[in-house]
Amino acid sequence: MFIGYDILSVEKEAEPVNLSIEEINQLAAFEHTRWLLHKKNRGWNYGVGIDRKSKEDPQLISYDLLNEDQKKKICEFVKRWPKILAHMNFKLKNTKGYRL
């Protein structure tokens, strides 16, 4: 992850890491950009409403331009990642300050 963690496989369910608000916000912005590029690469464009036939979605905008409710939904999604990873026998290892 670009926020200073590696994802490691472990033999049993790990204790989930508690991400800071700053880390959650960084990951939420990154996740929205990833989703936006995924949609655009499949022919979707900005539109005033979601229209699957014409491939239009009003959330195909920069993360910074989303309203607070939309950002909150993405942040809530991202907050669950450490628990999901832990349940699948992965743990987040903090690599901040680590040097080769």
Side-chain angles (χ1 to χ4, degrees):
M1 284 183 184
F2 71 99
I3 60 169
Y5 291 90
D6 280 339
I7 299 174
L8 305 174
S9 176
V10 293
E11 293 194 24
K12 61 181 183 175
E13 188 168 332
E15 186 68 30
V17 168
N18 289 319
L19 298 172
S20 71
I21 297 295
E22 294 82 18
E23 291 167 334
I24 291 167
N25 287 331
Q26 286 178 332
L27 286 171
F30 181 79
E31 173 57 18
H32 178 73
T33 301
R34 185 210 57 79
W35 171 85
L36 184 142
L37 293 172
H38 174 80
K39 294 292 257 188
K40 286 193 169 264
N41 285 336
R42 281 153 184 76
W44 284 73
N45 291 297
Y46 173 82
V48 292
I50 295 175
D51 185 335
R52 295 185 192 285
K53 189 173 183 178
S54 61
K55 294 186 173 184
E56 293 180 348
D57 190 318
Q59 293 187 45
L60 288 172
I61 55 176
S62 165
Y63 182 79
D64 295 336
L65 298 176
L66 293 173
N67 68 42
E68 290 306 311
D69 285 341
Q70 293 165 326
K71 288 179 183 178
K72 185 177 177 182
K73 286 179 187 177
I74 300 167
C75 286
E76 290 301 318
F77 174 63
V78 166
K79 281 183 192 177
R80 289 182 283 212
W81 289 358
K83 189 172 183 178
I84 292 167
L85 287 169
H87 184 68
M88 297 171 59
N89 294 2
F90 289 96
K91 75 174 188 176
L92 296 175
K93 179 183 177 188
N94 189 328
T95 59
K96 296 172 191 153
Y98 177 76
R99 295 176 191 227
L100 291 175

